[in-house]
Amino acid sequence: MRPLRPVEPNLRRAANALLAGELVVLPTETVYGLAADAANPEAVAKIFEAKGRPSDNPLIVHVSHMDAVELWSDHLPKGMLKLARAFWPGPLTVVVPKNPRVPDIVTAGLDTVAIRIPSHSLALAILEMTQMGLAMPSANPFMGLSPTRADRIDESITAHVACIIDGGPCRVGIESTVLDLSDGTPKILRPGTITAEEIEAVIGTVEVSTTDAKKAPGMYRRHYAPKVPAVLAPKALEGDAGLVFGYTTGANQIQMPSDPANYAKKLYVALSDLETRELPRIVIEEPPQTPEWAGVWDRINKATATE
Ligand code: AMP
Ligand code: MG
């Protein structure tokens, strides 16, 4: 399926498909999303089917403005408005108490819902056109790489969608930071490019969920099963295929940016480039152990996990 140029008639087409209960692939600033009307349980069921996603893995509801957040939650926790002012639209998801309007299938039966306002102008345009909340996980099959370009959407996904809107490469490149505000001290369930320190500067102390086992509903230690096994190493050897800092040796080494934002932006495209080659394994050189790399570390730990 050819991605559509982001012109008005194509955006209309995507909006109409969503209104009819179909799936579409949309660009967001984090990764490409597989979108459905969050208020329509049959439409949301198609997301789980298309991805092969386990039903215990809740979805994030995307909305275009603050008033719409109140359609999905009757109780906005302390700190919510400050966070919205600081980080929305943008790659921060908050988990808040849900109201009865949210179908169980969206939250995997939990009494909380994950919400964010994305910053991509095309995602916002579709949200405005449809006046919907959109349930929208990454547009990859379960355990596959999240696509950050329209030409990297797997055929198993495109077979289920009405259309794909091409918004170019995603600016952020990894999934949003997920922050649980529903119970006691705010807690980061999934790190992203918005760091714990940045959140603490706005609302005070936050906890960071420990990395072991299942961190939260639907958080799997092995989130991505590379088609080529991937391992971490301080330094790749000459002849190793992989993601490296500094000079590359050989055609199967990809030079990665030395700052976390640009690294995150390039990560999934680099891994998907290497996946298409006949390689025994991929070596990922370890980035610095500093807080601004937490989002990248989470994704490369998931890419190299063996179970
Ligand atoms: P993604 O698969 O990138 O769309 O991310 C969705 C992730 O957000 C899920 O895997 C959950 O870990 C998290 N999430 C969504 N809804 C909730 C919720 N109600 N409570 C806790 N975590 C949630
Ligand atoms: Mg995903």
Side-chain angles (χ1 to χ4, degrees):
M1 174 181 285
R2 279 252 301 276
L4 302 176
R5 285 191 308 124
V7 291
E8 167 81 20
N10 290 339
L11 299 186
R12 275 272 152 234
R13 187 163 147 190
N16 287 337
L18 289 165
L19 288 162
E22 294 178 60
L23 303 182
V24 303
V25 174
L26 298 179
T28 79
E29 78 279 27
T30 58
V31 302
Y32 275 76
L34 180 62
D37 176 2
N40 177 343
E42 286 90 48
V44 174
K46 294 179 187 172
I47 292 180
F48 286 91
E49 197 190 317
K51 285 180 64 86
R53 181 171 170 122
S55 58
D56 67 351
N57 197 343
L59 304 175
I60 297 170
V61 176
H62 295 69
V63 297
S64 60
H65 50 87
M66 210 43 216
D67 292 349
V69 174
E70 290 172 41
L71 292 176
W72 303 90
S73 176
D74 296 331
H75 170 68
L76 295 186
K78 207 167 138 259
M80 176 67 247
L81 288 177
K82 280 188 186 169
L83 288 168
R85 246 179 265 129
F87 300 113
W88 281 355
L92 175 70
T93 296
V94 294
V95 174
V96 297
K98 85 172 190 86
N99 72 18
R101 187 184 134 89
V102 187
D104 280 343
I105 188 170
V106 171
T107 63
L110 298 169
D111 54 9
T112 53
V113 61
I115 299 193
R116 82 177 185 102
I117 303 182
S119 70
H120 198 292
S121 60
L122 297 172
L124 289 170
I126 301 278
L127 285 164
E128 285 294 321
M129 279 180 183
T130 56
Q131 292 291 304
M132 280 173 178
L134 291 177
M136 185 160 54
S138 49
N140 54 291
F142 183 62
M143 292 284 172
L145 271 175
S146 301
T148 54
R149 286 179 12 186
D151 63 357
R152 299 295 164 104
I153 318 284
D154 195 90
E155 279 168 17
S156 65
I157 297 291
T158 60
H160 290 84
V161 307
C163 63
I164 301 167
I165 299 294
D166 191 345
C170 298
R171 180 178 60 77
V172 174
I174 61 173
E175 301 83 351
S176 58
T177 304
V178 178
L179 179 70
D180 187 357
L181 292 178
S182 67
D183 185 29
T185 309
K187 187 172 178 185
I188 294 187
L189 302 178
R190 173 174 76 187
T193 55
I194 294 178
T195 63
E197 286 69 20
E198 288 173 298
I199 295 170
E200 286 189 329
V202 176
I203 55 163
T205 310
V206 305
E207 283 173 32
V208 179
S209 178
T210 48
T211 49
D212 240 15
K214 258 178 129 178
K215 292 195 280 195
M219 284 274 177
Y220 298 88
R221 216 163 77 75
R222 187 162 207 224
H223 177 261
Y224 155 60
K227 293 185 181 125
V228 178
V231 295
L232 278 162
K235 192 94 192 88
L237 304 176
E238 205 174 324
D240 280 340
L243 310 184
V244 305
F245 293 105
Y247 292 109
T248 58
T249 52
N252 289 324
Q253 291 193 358
I254 297 179
Q255 189 184 53
M256 297 301 286
S258 57
D259 70 286
N262 282 307
Y263 190 108
K265 182 173 180 174
K266 189 168 175 179
L267 177 62
Y268 290 151
V269 170
L271 288 172
S272 84
D273 281 345
L274 292 178
E275 270 198 338
T276 60
R277 305 179 196 175
E278 298 265 309
L279 299 169
R281 63 169 201 168
I282 295 170
V283 174
I284 301 178
E285 281 189 0
E286 293 162 5
Q289 290 281 3
T290 51
E292 52 306 349
W293 286 88
V296 166
W297 264 110
D298 176 76
R299 302 321 186 276
I300 62 181
N301 279 332
K302 284 172 175 163
T304 55
T306 50
E307 55 185 87

mmCIF file of all heavy atoms in Angstrom, residues 53 57-60 95 110 112-114 136-138 175 178 189-190 217-219, ligand 1:
data_model
loop_
_atom_site.group_PDB
_atom_site.id
_atom_site.type_symbol
_atom_site.label_atom_id
_atom_site.label_comp_id
_atom_site.label_asym_id
_atom_site.label_seq_id
_atom_site.Cartn_x
_atom_site.Cartn_y
_atom_site.Cartn_z
ATOM 1 N N ARG A 53 -1.643 -8.136 19.046
ATOM 2 C CA ARG A 53 -1.280 -7.616 20.376
ATOM 3 C C ARG A 53 -2.110 -8.297 21.447
ATOM 4 O O ARG A 53 -3.333 -8.396 21.305
ATOM 5 C CB ARG A 53 -1.535 -6.107 20.382
ATOM 6 C CG ARG A 53 -1.196 -5.366 21.675
ATOM 7 C CD ARG A 53 -1.306 -3.872 21.417
ATOM 8 N NE ARG A 53 -1.228 -3.041 22.590
ATOM 9 C CZ ARG A 53 -0.315 -2.083 22.766
ATOM 10 N NH1 ARG A 53 0.611 -1.878 21.858
ATOM 11 N NH2 ARG A 53 -0.347 -1.325 23.837
ATOM 12 N N ASN A 57 -2.779 -5.654 27.077
ATOM 13 C CA ASN A 57 -1.841 -4.551 26.825
ATOM 14 C C ASN A 57 -2.624 -3.293 26.455
ATOM 15 O O ASN A 57 -3.059 -3.134 25.321
ATOM 16 C CB ASN A 57 -0.920 -4.997 25.674
ATOM 17 C CG ASN A 57 0.335 -4.160 25.576
ATOM 18 O OD1 ASN A 57 0.400 -3.065 26.129
ATOM 19 N ND2 ASN A 57 1.309 -4.666 24.864
ATOM 20 N N PRO A 58 -2.843 -2.384 27.434
ATOM 21 C CA PRO A 58 -3.740 -1.249 27.195
ATOM 22 C C PRO A 58 -3.187 -0.246 26.181
ATOM 23 O O PRO A 58 -1.988 -0.186 25.953
ATOM 24 C CB PRO A 58 -3.848 -0.603 28.580
ATOM 25 C CG PRO A 58 -2.625 -1.034 29.315
ATOM 26 C CD PRO A 58 -2.262 -2.379 28.786
ATOM 27 N N LEU A 59 -4.097 0.540 25.598
ATOM 28 C CA LEU A 59 -3.730 1.495 24.547
ATOM 29 C C LEU A 59 -3.756 2.928 25.076
ATOM 30 O O LEU A 59 -4.445 3.231 26.049
ATOM 31 C CB LEU A 59 -4.728 1.390 23.391
ATOM 32 C CG LEU A 59 -4.882 0.001 22.771
ATOM 33 C CD1 LEU A 59 -6.003 0.027 21.717
ATOM 34 C CD2 LEU A 59 -3.567 -0.445 22.135
ATOM 35 N N ILE A 60 -3.027 3.792 24.389
ATOM 36 C CA ILE A 60 -3.027 5.215 24.742
ATOM 37 C C ILE A 60 -4.100 5.926 23.909
ATOM 38 O O ILE A 60 -4.203 5.699 22.698
ATOM 39 C CB ILE A 60 -1.644 5.834 24.461
ATOM 40 C CG1 ILE A 60 -0.589 5.167 25.353
ATOM 41 C CG2 ILE A 60 -1.677 7.356 24.680
ATOM 42 C CD1 ILE A 60 0.854 5.526 25.007
ATOM 43 N N VAL A 95 -1.184 8.542 32.922
ATOM 44 C CA VAL A 95 -2.193 7.545 33.296
ATOM 45 C C VAL A 95 -3.038 8.153 34.408
ATOM 46 O O VAL A 95 -2.514 8.558 35.450
ATOM 47 C CB VAL A 95 -1.524 6.233 33.750
ATOM 48 C CG1 VAL A 95 -2.553 5.243 34.285
ATOM 49 C CG2 VAL A 95 -0.747 5.614 32.591
ATOM 50 N N LEU A 110 -8.566 -2.104 32.963
ATOM 51 C CA LEU A 110 -8.095 -1.326 34.122
ATOM 52 C C LEU A 110 -9.056 -0.171 34.399
ATOM 53 O O LEU A 110 -9.825 0.233 33.527
ATOM 54 C CB LEU A 110 -6.697 -0.754 33.838
ATOM 55 C CG LEU A 110 -5.597 -1.780 33.589
ATOM 56 C CD1 LEU A 110 -4.341 -1.092 33.060
ATOM 57 C CD2 LEU A 110 -5.292 -2.522 34.885
ATOM 58 N N THR A 112 -7.966 2.792 34.972
ATOM 59 C CA THR A 112 -7.216 3.991 34.579
ATOM 60 C C THR A 112 -7.079 4.025 33.062
ATOM 61 O O THR A 112 -7.193 2.987 32.401
ATOM 62 C CB THR A 112 -5.798 3.957 35.185
ATOM 63 O OG1 THR A 112 -5.188 2.715 34.831
ATOM 64 C CG2 THR A 112 -5.837 4.094 36.703
ATOM 65 N N VAL A 113 -6.829 5.239 32.534
ATOM 66 C CA VAL A 113 -6.634 5.371 31.092
ATOM 67 C C VAL A 113 -5.374 6.199 30.827
ATOM 68 O O VAL A 113 -5.081 7.147 31.564
ATOM 69 C CB VAL A 113 -7.887 5.995 30.416
ATOM 70 C CG1 VAL A 113 -8.187 7.396 30.943
ATOM 71 C CG2 VAL A 113 -7.751 6.029 28.896
ATOM 72 N N ALA A 114 -4.639 5.812 29.789
ATOM 73 C CA ALA A 114 -3.431 6.544 29.385
ATOM 74 C C ALA A 114 -3.817 7.535 28.284
ATOM 75 O O ALA A 114 -4.499 7.159 27.327
ATOM 76 C CB ALA A 114 -2.382 5.559 28.883
ATOM 77 N N MET A 136 -4.245 4.599 19.749
ATOM 78 C CA MET A 136 -3.205 4.552 18.716
ATOM 79 C C MET A 136 -1.881 4.019 19.271
ATOM 80 O O MET A 136 -1.061 4.774 19.752
ATOM 81 C CB MET A 136 -3.040 5.965 18.130
ATOM 82 C CG MET A 136 -2.087 6.062 16.983
ATOM 83 S SD MET A 136 -2.315 7.525 15.951
ATOM 84 C CE MET A 136 -2.234 8.886 17.091
ATOM 85 N N PRO A 137 -1.677 2.714 19.195
ATOM 86 C CA PRO A 137 -0.343 2.170 19.503
ATOM 87 C C PRO A 137 0.543 2.320 18.268
ATOM 88 O O PRO A 137 0.080 2.769 17.219
ATOM 89 C CB PRO A 137 -0.631 0.695 19.787
ATOM 90 C CG PRO A 137 -1.782 0.377 18.884
ATOM 91 C CD PRO A 137 -2.600 1.652 18.756
ATOM 92 N N SER A 138 1.803 1.941 18.404
ATOM 93 C CA SER A 138 2.699 1.974 17.257
ATOM 94 C C SER A 138 2.206 1.030 16.157
ATOM 95 O O SER A 138 1.616 -0.013 16.443
ATOM 96 C CB SER A 138 4.108 1.585 17.697
ATOM 97 O OG SER A 138 4.066 0.407 18.474
ATOM 98 N N GLU A 175 8.938 5.843 21.506
ATOM 99 C CA GLU A 175 7.610 6.041 22.068
ATOM 100 C C GLU A 175 7.661 6.999 23.267
ATOM 101 O O GLU A 175 8.707 7.188 23.890
ATOM 102 C CB GLU A 175 7.015 4.693 22.495
ATOM 103 C CG GLU A 175 6.889 3.668 21.373
ATOM 104 C CD GLU A 175 8.171 2.889 21.081
ATOM 105 O OE1 GLU A 175 9.242 3.233 21.630
ATOM 106 O OE2 GLU A 175 8.101 1.920 20.292
ATOM 107 N N VAL A 178 5.805 7.374 29.680
ATOM 108 C CA VAL A 178 4.503 7.101 30.319
ATOM 109 C C VAL A 178 4.632 7.372 31.823
ATOM 110 O O VAL A 178 5.497 6.787 32.492
ATOM 111 C CB VAL A 178 4.028 5.645 30.087
ATOM 112 C CG1 VAL A 178 2.699 5.388 30.801
ATOM 113 C CG2 VAL A 178 3.887 5.343 28.595
ATOM 114 N N LEU A 189 6.425 4.820 34.197
ATOM 115 C CA LEU A 189 6.272 3.405 33.848
ATOM 116 C C LEU A 189 7.130 3.048 32.642
ATOM 117 O O LEU A 189 7.515 1.890 32.471
ATOM 118 C CB LEU A 189 4.810 3.092 33.526
ATOM 119 C CG LEU A 189 3.773 3.395 34.616
ATOM 120 C CD1 LEU A 189 2.376 3.068 34.118
ATOM 121 C CD2 LEU A 189 4.087 2.600 35.881
ATOM 122 N N ARG A 190 7.362 4.051 31.791
ATOM 123 C CA ARG A 190 8.196 3.824 30.609
ATOM 124 C C ARG A 190 8.975 5.103 30.338
ATOM 125 O O ARG A 190 8.377 6.150 30.131
ATOM 126 C CB ARG A 190 7.318 3.489 29.396
ATOM 127 C CG ARG A 190 8.111 3.400 28.097
ATOM 128 C CD ARG A 190 7.265 2.936 26.927
ATOM 129 N NE ARG A 190 6.406 3.981 26.426
ATOM 130 C CZ ARG A 190 5.465 3.796 25.496
ATOM 131 N NH1 ARG A 190 5.249 2.593 25.015
ATOM 132 N NH2 ARG A 190 4.736 4.806 25.077
ATOM 133 N N PRO A 217 1.038 -2.920 33.306
ATOM 134 C CA PRO A 217 0.207 -3.730 32.424
ATOM 135 C C PRO A 217 0.723 -3.619 30.994
ATOM 136 O O PRO A 217 0.907 -2.525 30.491
ATOM 137 C CB PRO A 217 -1.174 -3.085 32.553
ATOM 138 C CG PRO A 217 -1.029 -1.899 33.432
ATOM 139 C CD PRO A 217 0.305 -1.951 34.087
ATOM 140 N N GLY A 218 0.952 -4.738 30.398
ATOM 141 C CA GLY A 218 1.341 -4.712 28.995
ATOM 142 C C GLY A 218 2.763 -4.270 28.717
ATOM 143 O O GLY A 218 3.135 -4.080 27.579
ATOM 144 N N MET A 219 3.584 -4.094 29.737
ATOM 145 C CA MET A 219 4.991 -3.734 29.503
ATOM 146 C C MET A 219 5.801 -5.015 29.490
ATOM 147 O O MET A 219 6.002 -5.631 30.532
ATOM 148 C CB MET A 219 5.538 -2.861 30.633
ATOM 149 C CG MET A 219 5.069 -1.451 30.590
ATOM 150 S SD MET A 219 6.122 -0.476 29.528
ATOM 151 C CE MET A 219 5.225 1.083 29.635
HETATM 152 P P1 AMP B 1 2.256 1.707 23.125
HETATM 153 O O1 AMP B 1 2.234 0.234 22.990
HETATM 154 O O2 AMP B 1 3.541 2.327 22.718
HETATM 155 O O3 AMP B 1 1.086 2.390 22.552
HETATM 156 O O4 AMP B 1 2.215 2.037 24.690
HETATM 157 C C1 AMP B 1 1.142 1.755 25.483
HETATM 158 C C2 AMP B 1 1.702 1.458 26.817
HETATM 159 O O5 AMP B 1 1.186 2.400 27.759
HETATM 160 C C3 AMP B 1 1.215 0.110 27.303
HETATM 161 O O6 AMP B 1 2.096 -0.910 26.920
HETATM 162 C C4 AMP B 1 1.153 0.272 28.797
HETATM 163 O O7 AMP B 1 2.331 -0.175 29.374
HETATM 164 C C5 AMP B 1 0.984 1.765 28.998
HETATM 165 N N1 AMP B 1 -0.390 1.997 29.432
HETATM 166 C C6 AMP B 1 -1.458 2.242 28.678
HETATM 167 N N2 AMP B 1 -2.566 2.356 29.430
HETATM 168 C C7 AMP B 1 -2.169 2.178 30.702
HETATM 169 C C8 AMP B 1 -2.847 2.168 31.952
HETATM 170 N N3 AMP B 1 -4.147 2.391 32.045
HETATM 171 N N4 AMP B 1 -2.112 1.929 33.060
HETATM 172 C C9 AMP B 1 -0.779 1.725 32.982
HETATM 173 N N5 AMP B 1 -0.097 1.711 31.824
HETATM 174 C C10 AMP B 1 -0.770 1.937 30.703
#
